[in-house]
mmCIF file of all heavy atoms in Angstrom:
data_model
loop_
_atom_site.group_PDB
_atom_site.id
_atom_site.type_symbol
_atom_site.label_atom_id
_atom_site.label_comp_id
_atom_site.label_asym_id
_atom_site.label_seq_id
_atom_site.Cartn_x
_atom_site.Cartn_y
_atom_site.Cartn_z
ATOM 1 N N PRO C 185 -138.962 22.476 136.558
ATOM 2 C CA PRO C 185 -140.232 23.201 136.621
ATOM 3 C C PRO C 185 -139.999 24.689 136.357
ATOM 4 O O PRO C 185 -138.948 25.222 136.713
ATOM 5 C CB PRO C 185 -140.703 22.962 138.060
ATOM 6 C CG PRO C 185 -139.477 22.601 138.829
ATOM 7 C CD PRO C 185 -138.509 21.994 137.863
ATOM 8 N N PRO C 186 -140.953 25.346 135.702
ATOM 9 C CA PRO C 186 -140.763 26.775 135.441
ATOM 10 C C PRO C 186 -140.710 27.560 136.746
ATOM 11 O O PRO C 186 -141.413 27.235 137.697
ATOM 12 C CB PRO C 186 -142.013 27.153 134.634
ATOM 13 C CG PRO C 186 -142.977 26.044 134.814
ATOM 14 C CD PRO C 186 -142.222 24.827 135.247
ATOM 15 N N THR C 187 -139.839 28.550 136.817
ATOM 16 C CA THR C 187 -139.769 29.385 138.014
ATOM 17 C C THR C 187 -140.445 30.716 137.714
ATOM 18 O O THR C 187 -140.458 31.152 136.560
ATOM 19 C CB THR C 187 -138.298 29.650 138.413
ATOM 20 O OG1 THR C 187 -137.598 30.096 137.252
ATOM 21 C CG2 THR C 187 -137.633 28.407 138.953
ATOM 22 N N PRO C 188 -141.021 31.326 138.753
ATOM 23 C CA PRO C 188 -141.795 32.553 138.502
ATOM 24 C C PRO C 188 -140.949 33.713 137.971
ATOM 25 O O PRO C 188 -141.412 34.489 137.133
ATOM 26 C CB PRO C 188 -142.396 32.884 139.864
ATOM 27 C CG PRO C 188 -141.704 32.026 140.871
ATOM 28 C CD PRO C 188 -141.079 30.885 140.150
ATOM 29 N N ASP C 189 -139.698 33.824 138.446
ATOM 30 C CA ASP C 189 -138.935 35.027 138.100
ATOM 31 C C ASP C 189 -137.993 34.823 136.920
ATOM 32 O O ASP C 189 -137.291 35.739 136.514
ATOM 33 C CB ASP C 189 -138.133 35.509 139.319
ATOM 34 C CG ASP C 189 -137.228 34.419 139.870
ATOM 35 O OD1 ASP C 189 -137.609 33.239 139.735
ATOM 36 O OD2 ASP C 189 -136.156 34.741 140.417
ATOM 37 N N GLU C 190 -137.932 33.628 136.375
ATOM 38 C CA GLU C 190 -137.041 33.410 135.251
ATOM 39 C C GLU C 190 -137.849 32.973 134.037
ATOM 40 O O GLU C 190 -138.831 32.253 134.167
ATOM 41 C CB GLU C 190 -135.996 32.335 135.597
ATOM 42 C CG GLU C 190 -134.909 32.852 136.509
ATOM 43 C CD GLU C 190 -133.989 31.756 136.999
ATOM 44 O OE1 GLU C 190 -134.184 30.591 136.596
ATOM 45 O OE2 GLU C 190 -133.087 32.061 137.792
ATOM 46 N N PRO C 191 -137.433 33.393 132.871
ATOM 47 C CA PRO C 191 -138.183 33.006 131.675
ATOM 48 C C PRO C 191 -138.101 31.493 131.485
ATOM 49 O O PRO C 191 -137.118 30.866 131.859
ATOM 50 C CB PRO C 191 -137.443 33.735 130.552
ATOM 51 C CG PRO C 191 -136.095 34.071 131.090
ATOM 52 C CD PRO C 191 -136.255 34.201 132.570
ATOM 53 N N PRO C 192 -139.160 30.881 130.951
ATOM 54 C CA PRO C 192 -139.120 29.438 130.726
ATOM 55 C C PRO C 192 -138.069 29.086 129.671
ATOM 56 O O PRO C 192 -137.690 29.918 128.863
ATOM 57 C CB PRO C 192 -140.525 29.120 130.207
ATOM 58 C CG PRO C 192 -141.028 30.416 129.650
ATOM 59 C CD PRO C 192 -140.372 31.507 130.428
ATOM 60 N N PRO C 321 -124.665 34.702 146.121
ATOM 61 C CA PRO C 321 -126.089 34.828 145.776
ATOM 62 C C PRO C 321 -126.349 35.698 144.536
ATOM 63 O O PRO C 321 -127.363 35.517 143.858
ATOM 64 C CB PRO C 321 -126.712 35.452 147.034
ATOM 65 C CG PRO C 321 -125.567 35.973 147.842
ATOM 66 C CD PRO C 321 -124.357 35.186 147.467
ATOM 67 N N GLU C 324 -125.238 34.521 138.666
ATOM 68 C CA GLU C 324 -126.319 33.960 137.861
ATOM 69 C C GLU C 324 -125.906 32.689 137.134
ATOM 70 O O GLU C 324 -126.565 32.261 136.199
ATOM 71 C CB GLU C 324 -126.797 35.001 136.834
ATOM 72 C CG GLU C 324 -127.363 36.275 137.442
ATOM 73 C CD GLU C 324 -128.837 36.160 137.780
ATOM 74 O OE1 GLU C 324 -129.346 35.018 137.864
ATOM 75 O OE2 GLU C 324 -129.471 37.214 137.962
ATOM 76 N N ALA C 327 -128.779 30.109 136.383
ATOM 77 C CA ALA C 327 -129.707 30.431 135.296
ATOM 78 C C ALA C 327 -129.002 30.423 133.948
ATOM 79 O O ALA C 327 -129.585 30.058 132.926
ATOM 80 C CB ALA C 327 -130.361 31.792 135.552
ATOM 81 N N ARG C 330 -128.509 26.872 132.851
ATOM 82 C CA ARG C 330 -129.781 26.300 132.409
ATOM 83 C C ARG C 330 -130.265 26.927 131.107
ATOM 84 O O ARG C 330 -131.277 26.520 130.566
ATOM 85 C CB ARG C 330 -130.854 26.492 133.492
ATOM 86 C CG ARG C 330 -130.604 25.712 134.767
ATOM 87 C CD ARG C 330 -131.808 25.747 135.693
ATOM 88 N NE ARG C 330 -132.120 27.088 136.167
ATOM 89 C CZ ARG C 330 -131.637 27.627 137.285
ATOM 90 N NH1 ARG C 330 -130.833 26.943 138.042
ATOM 91 N NH2 ARG C 330 -131.980 28.855 137.645
ATOM 92 N N GLN C 332 -131.341 30.000 130.813
ATOM 93 C CA GLN C 332 -132.428 30.961 131.026
ATOM 94 C C GLN C 332 -131.944 32.396 130.939
ATOM 95 O O GLN C 332 -132.713 33.300 130.694
ATOM 96 C CB GLN C 332 -133.074 30.721 132.393
ATOM 97 C CG GLN C 332 -133.929 29.470 132.406
ATOM 98 C CD GLN C 332 -134.264 29.025 133.811
ATOM 99 O OE1 GLN C 332 -133.391 28.914 134.660
ATOM 100 N NE2 GLN C 332 -135.529 28.780 134.052
ATOM 101 N N LYS C 333 -130.667 32.605 131.205
ATOM 102 C CA LYS C 333 -130.122 33.961 131.110
ATOM 103 C C LYS C 333 -128.846 33.941 130.297
ATOM 104 O O LYS C 333 -128.205 32.900 130.154
ATOM 105 C CB LYS C 333 -129.842 34.514 132.513
ATOM 106 C CG LYS C 333 -131.118 34.768 133.293
ATOM 107 C CD LYS C 333 -130.895 35.657 134.493
ATOM 108 C CE LYS C 333 -132.259 36.008 135.101
ATOM 109 N NZ LYS C 333 -132.128 36.676 136.391
#
Side-chain angles (χ1 to χ4, degrees):
Chain C
T187 50
D189 56 330
E190 284 172 2
E324 298 274 18
R330 293 190 296 269
Q332 287 165 310
K333 292 196 172 170

